[in-house]
Amino acid sequence: MPDIPPMILADEPGSFPHSVLAERHPAIIRQVREAFPYGPEQHRALDALLENCTKGVIEPLPAAAPDRADWAAWGADEYTGRSWFDVPWLWSESWFYRQLLEAVGYFGSGPWQGIDPFRPFKLAELDAPETDEELAALDALDTRPADEQAAALLHGSLWGNRADLGFRLSDADAEGRDAVPGLVADDSAALWSLLDGADTLCLVADNAGRELVPDLLLIAHLLAQGRVRRAILHVKPYPYYVSDATTADVVDAVRRLTRAPGAAAGHGRDLWSAMADGSLTVRAHPFSCAPLPYEEMPDDLAAEFAGAALTVVKGDLNYRRLVGDRMWPPTTPFADVTAWFPGPVAALRTLKSDVITGLAPATEAALVAAEGQRWRTGGTHALIQVRP
C-alpha cells in the first residue's frame, strides 16, 4: 500500500474545495430558496445556514433529529465547534446537505416533511429537449449488434448528461475522436470480462435526471442480454448533493422512459417489469449518505458488495469515497487504493474534483502539459477503472 496522504481540507483560499464551501454552497441555498414557496420559518433557517456555513462553526443536530446518533458516530461530536473549512472536505460537504434538509423541514413533522428541495431541478432535466433527443437515438441503437449497444450504453452511463448517443451513432469516427481522448484510463475490456453471464451486478448510482437514465438503460441491456442475472441499484435514502439519485428519482426516470416514443418506452417497460419480479432491486442504505469513505462501510453493505460479480461505482463523489478523498499522486495504482474493497469493483467517473489515481505517467504528463491542473476538475475527462 502506498503512503497515505491526509484527507483533503477546504482551508486553502483559491483551492477547489474552498470555492465549493465559500461559493457553491451559498449559491445552492439561494437556488433552493427560490425554487419553493417556503414560509418564514424555512427562510429564517436558510438565512442562518448561509451565515453559519460560510462564517460559523459546526453546530450539532437538534436532539430530536432521527439520525443524530448516526452523525455522532460519523464525526459530528468530534467536529462540533470547528470551522467548516478545518474538517475533512468530504465531511463538511455532506454536513452541508444534511443541514440544508434540516433548514427546509425535510425531517420535521410539518408540511414540508419529505419534500425534496432539489426536485424541480431534477424534473427539469428529465423534461429537457435534450432528453428527448437522447432517447430518440435509442431507436437507431436498437438495430446495432449487441456489443455495439453495450459499448454505447456504457459510455452514455460514463459521461452522464455529456453523452450524445445521437452524435456517436451518426458519426462512425466519433468514438475515436471524442470519447477516447477524453478517457484518461480505460479498463472497459476488464469490465466486460466480469459481466459475461454474471449472477449479480451492484451499481452505485450518482446523479438523478439525465444521468440516471443511461444508468438504467445500461442495466436494462445487461439484463436483456443475459450478461447479468440480477442488478442491485444503490441510491441515496434522502436528497443529497443537489442531484444524487433517490428511489423517487428512479421511479421518475423509469416513468419518463415508459412515456417516451419508440424504443425508449420498451426499455422503460422492461425496467418496470424487472423491478416487479426482483431482477432489478433498489437499495437505499443509510451509509450511502455518510460523510465517510467506503472503506468504513458497515458489515451488511460490505457483504452485499462481496456477493456481487462486480460493483460499479458511478460518479465523482462515489470515486472520492472509494479511493479516499486524498491528494494521491495520480500514478498511484487504482488496485492498491481499492485493495480493501470486498469484491471486484469498477469506477465510472467524469473528473470534477482533484482526487485521481491509476494514471500512466505519460498520461499525467500530457494532461499537465496541456492544461495545468484544470483537467482534474473541469468534467472534460473521464475514466473507466477496474480492480478485478
Side-chain angles (χ1 to χ4, degrees), residues 150-159 175 179-180 182-192 194-195 218 310-315 319 322 334 345-351 356-359 381-387:
L153 292 170
L154 178 66
H155 279 272
S157 179
L158 169 64
W159 288 102
E175 198 78 5
V180 173
L183 288 179
V184 300
D186 184 5
D187 295 339
S188 53
L191 184 149
W192 292 124
L194 292 165
L195 297 179
L218 177 62
L310 179 65
T311 296
V312 175
V313 173
K314 280 290 310 293
Y319 188 86
L322 176 65
F334 177 73
V345 64
L348 301 185
R349 174 219 182 185
T350 53
L351 276 56
I356 183 72
T357 68
L359 296 192
H381 297 281
L383 57 79
I384 302 171
Q385 291 176 324
V386 176
R387 196 225 69 204

Side-chain angles (χ1 to χ4, degrees), residues 24-25 31 45 74 113 119 132 135 150 174 195 209 221 223 255 278 286 296 299 331-332 334 337 341 361 374:
R24 182 184 295 178
H25 287 178
Q31 290 169 347
W74 293 339
Q113 183 181 32
R119 185 168 171 79
D132 292 327
L135 295 182
L195 297 179
H221 176 81
L223 289 171
R255 283 180 171 152
E296 299 182 38
D299 291 344
T331 55
T332 304
F334 177 73
V337 296
F341 198 83
R374 293 189 304 276

Side-chain angles (χ1 to χ4, degrees), residues 74-210:
W74 293 339
D77 289 351
E78 177 186 354
Y79 296 144
T80 294
R82 295 172 61 177
S83 166
W84 293 58
F85 295 84
D86 293 336
V87 303
W89 179 44
L90 176 65
W91 198 95
S92 56
E93 272 197 291
S94 298
W95 183 248
F96 169 77
Y97 289 102
R98 176 59 185 84
Q99 292 288 47
L100 182 61
L101 294 182
E102 193 68 34
V104 299
Y106 183 88
F107 291 107
S109 58
W112 294 101
Q113 183 181 32
I115 301 298
D116 183 348
F118 310 125
R119 185 168 171 79
F121 317 125
K122 296 172 176 178
L123 293 179
E125 273 210 355
L126 279 180
D127 294 336
E130 294 85 355
T131 304
D132 292 327
E133 295 168 8
E134 290 164 3
L135 295 182
L138 293 171
D139 294 342
L141 183 62
D142 273 11
T143 67
R144 300 297 181 92
D147 286 350
E148 287 187 27
Q149 293 180 39
L153 292 170
L154 178 66
H155 279 272
S157 179
L158 169 64
W159 288 102
N161 62 17
R162 291 192 65 248
D164 185 352
L165 288 178
F167 172 69
R168 300 193 194 290
L169 289 170
S170 63
D171 184 345
D173 296 324
E175 198 78 5
R177 283 203 317 274
D178 186 50
V180 173
L183 288 179
V184 300
D186 184 5
D187 295 339
S188 53
L191 184 149
W192 292 124
S193 71
L194 292 165
L195 297 179
D196 187 10
D199 185 67
T200 302
L201 165 72
C202 285
L203 192 151
V204 182
D206 184 31
N207 292 328
R210 288 173 59 209

